[in-house]
Structures are given as C-alpha cells and as structure tokens.
Amino acid sequence: MWLFAMFDLPVDSPAARRQYTNFRKSLLKQGFTMLQYSVYSRYCNSEERATVFRERLKKTLPPQGEVRLLAVTDHQFGKMQVFLGKKRAQTEKPPEQLLLF
C-alpha cells in the first residue's frame, strides 16, 4: 500500500515558508519521498501502518493551506504511468520486505 501526501501550502511570508519547510521536513523524516513538487509518497506494508502515518501527519499539518492524503494499493500504484517529456519512465518499486523465520 502506498500513502500519498499532496499539498498546496502558502509561501507568501517568511512564517509561511518556515511552516512549509517544517512540513516538508516532517514528511522526509517519516520516510516519504518526493514524486513531484508537493507530491510525496511512502510505502506502507498494511492499512494499519498507513493509518499510523496518517495520524502522524495530522499532527504536523500547517495552520494554512491544503493537504490531501491518499492511500492506494500496490496494484493501483503499479498502474500509474510516468512520463518524462514524451518518454515513458519506470514507476517506483516497493521496498524489499524482510522475511523473518
């Protein structure tokens, strides 16, 4: 399962830019990677894990702007088409999972 964080935050004042930077840093600290500007994703191995990260992000939301969280399955994520210019590029792969015996 992949959790997306998509946001549009104001950066029209030094305080707003600081809040934007703090939110972006909190995403990176929680293991999100940037897909595009203002679109970050993180692989979660279960719905429960995605819920944990949703709750963590809610605690770091800036006071202004719009943030959207979206969870999609691996199958849905695999259907994503990525283009660099007119060339098709590879979609990100989920991280390897450890098997414990």
Side-chain angles (χ1 to χ4, degrees):
M1 168 163 289
W2 291 83
L3 182 60
F4 287 87
M6 302 170 279
F7 54 91
D8 189 14
L9 302 175
V11 290
D12 55 353
S13 69
R17 281 191 292 276
R18 189 171 26 259
Q19 291 167 350
Y20 171 93
T21 300
N22 289 338
F23 181 69
R24 184 181 177 279
K25 285 182 179 178
S26 73
L27 287 171
L28 296 173
K29 190 175 180 180
Q30 294 182 54
F32 282 80
T33 57
M34 186 173 81
L35 289 179
Q36 294 184 341
Y37 292 118
S38 302
V39 179
Y40 288 71
S41 69
R42 186 190 196 290
Y43 181 76
C44 301
N45 56 5
S46 67
E47 176 66 34
E48 292 78 19
R49 192 76 174 145
T51 300
V52 168
F53 281 102
R54 278 190 203 106
E55 294 304 317
R56 286 183 187 170
L57 285 177
K58 286 179 187 175
K59 293 177 183 172
T60 63
L61 291 175
Q64 295 180 343
E66 181 177 334
V67 177
R68 295 176 185 236
L69 302 175
L70 173 69
V72 299
T73 64
D74 291 343
H75 184 69
Q76 292 167 326
F77 188 85
K79 289 182 174 180
M80 179 171 30
Q81 295 182 340
V82 180
F83 294 94
L84 298 174
K86 291 189 175 189
K87 286 188 169 183
R88 179 111 189 246
Q90 289 257 322
T91 306
E92 289 77 3
K93 302 285 183 208
E96 296 289 327
Q97 293 187 4
L98 296 176
L99 292 176
L100 302 176
F101 298 97

